Amino acid sequence: MAVAEHIRCSNCGGPVDFQPGELIATCKYCGFTTVIQTGQAFVFEHSVVQNKFDEPQVNEVAKDWMTSGFLKPGDLAKKSKIVEKQLVYLPFWLVSVQAKTSYKGVFERITPQIVKEGTINKEYNWLVLAREASDFPTREYDVPLEGKVPYDFRKIEGFAKILNSEIEREEALELTKQQVEEHHRFLLQQEVDKIIETSTDFNVKQIVYLHAPIWFIKYEYKGNSYRLIIDGASGSALKGDIPPAKFGLL
Ligand SMILES: [Zn+2]
């Protein structure tokens, strides 16, 4: 089992716990953020998206999710019990980037086929989860940027858990480039049938370290347990396990 270590916060002197593999840690007493390896202050922009739901409200959101959608058992909301609820501030890197892909490819849908050239030019606020192992649905998560404010530990609920980053800023940028290129290759399928060459130029505008509030819920239904993930800023369900509905013979 991994053992937590700690460093002293160079701002308030409090203990800052971190797990092996974590690279950037935030002090829960004063919000000061440290790069663990160097012990130096994290100097880039650090933001937090505010949570807008308390525990009773999250219960309501969960029950609403259980009663909506026709794939769920009809008695799900009534027969299930929420057994665990945790508010976690997940760390992300938000990379604002302009990506311009130039391509050359063969368009085979007409006869004779032609060689086509062009560009795809797009801007993104690309989100990278700053944790190595997670089944969090990052691509499904539309980070509510209008709720983003400078990181302030006083805005974090005492019962919430704050996760530290396991991914460095440079690595986040590399991941963004890879993922955007992949996305553009996907978009290219509409333009050409066979790619001859392609290259992408990136213009990075900003990289922000961001904590966003996510509720992790565990509920039980007919003896089994299931999970539900809710966005604490918007209240939308990001991912939920649905028990198999039984369609008995009437
Ligand atoms: Zn501190």
Side-chain angles (χ1 to χ4, degrees):
M1 182 164 159
V3 179
E5 299 177 65
H6 75 263
I7 47 174
R8 290 254 156 236
C9 172
S10 57
N11 187 48
C12 75
V16 180
D17 292 336
F18 64 94
Q19 304 286 336
E22 293 181 343
L23 303 174
I24 298 167
T26 298
C27 174
K28 65 180 168 186
Y29 305 103
C30 75
F32 192 77
T33 297
T34 306
V35 179
I36 294 165
Q37 201 186 6
T38 61
Q40 302 294 308
F42 178 78
V43 295
F44 302 102
E45 186 179 332
H46 183 195
S47 295
V48 63
V49 172
Q50 288 182 269
N51 171 55
K52 296 206 183 86
F53 293 80
D54 61 17
E55 291 199 40
Q57 288 169 322
V58 163
N59 274 341
E60 286 305 307
V61 170
K63 292 287 175 185
D64 283 350
W65 175 81
M66 289 172 184
T67 49
S68 64
F70 59 91
L71 289 173
K72 299 185 185 102
D75 60 355
L76 184 58
K78 215 166 92 191
K79 295 275 176 63
S80 66
K81 190 170 168 245
I82 293 172
V83 290
E84 246 178 68
K85 226 176 336 183
Q86 191 172 30
L87 174 60
V88 178
Y89 282 83
L90 279 185
F92 294 93
W93 292 95
L94 181 70
V95 181
S96 303
V97 65
Q98 184 185 4
K100 187 177 169 187
T101 299
S102 306
Y103 66 88
K104 188 173 169 186
V106 187
F107 191 69
E108 295 174 338
R109 277 162 265 182
I110 50 170
T111 315
Q113 55 190 39
I114 53 164
V115 171
K116 213 171 135 184
E117 286 182 55
T119 57
I120 294 177
N121 196 351
K122 284 183 180 288
E123 284 199 34
Y124 299 100
N125 283 315
W126 201 264
L127 201 61
V128 176
L129 179 63
R131 301 290 292 184
E132 299 282 1
S134 168
D135 59 354
F136 183 78
T138 307
R139 290 280 75 84
E140 266 66 62
Y141 177 47
D142 197 6
V143 62
L145 292 178
E146 55 289 354
K148 170 169 97 63
V149 294
Y151 190 88
D152 181 346
F153 74 100
R154 288 164 299 190
K155 294 200 161 83
I156 306 278
E157 298 79 354
F159 60 86
K161 187 174 172 185
I162 306 160
L163 288 183
N164 290 319
S165 179
E166 294 175 331
I167 290 177
E168 276 180 300
R169 195 171 179 272
E170 287 307 309
E171 192 184 346
L173 178 55
E174 278 316 304
L175 285 168
T176 298
K177 288 179 175 176
Q178 285 170 22
Q179 291 168 7
V180 168
E181 273 184 336
E182 203 175 297
H183 176 59
H184 279 194
R185 278 182 174 275
F186 171 77
L187 296 178
L188 273 182
Q189 292 173 5
Q190 293 187 341
E191 308 298 329
V192 292
D193 300 298
K194 203 183 288 163
I195 295 169
I196 298 169
E197 57 186 38
T198 167
S199 73
T200 303
D201 286 326
F202 293 94
N203 178 9
V204 180
K205 309 229 160 126
Q206 199 187 27
I207 305 177
V208 175
Y209 183 45
L210 178 85
H211 276 94
I214 308 292
W215 286 89
F216 288 86
I217 289 163
K218 199 169 122 191
Y219 71 92
E220 281 175 2
Y221 173 76
K222 295 188 175 169
N224 292 311
S225 65
Y226 302 93
R227 294 167 321 146
L228 175 61
I229 301 176
I230 290 171
D231 173 2
S234 71
S236 59
L238 296 170
K239 188 177 178 182
D241 297 334
I242 299 171
K246 278 211 176 69
F247 298 105
L249 292 172
L250 293 175

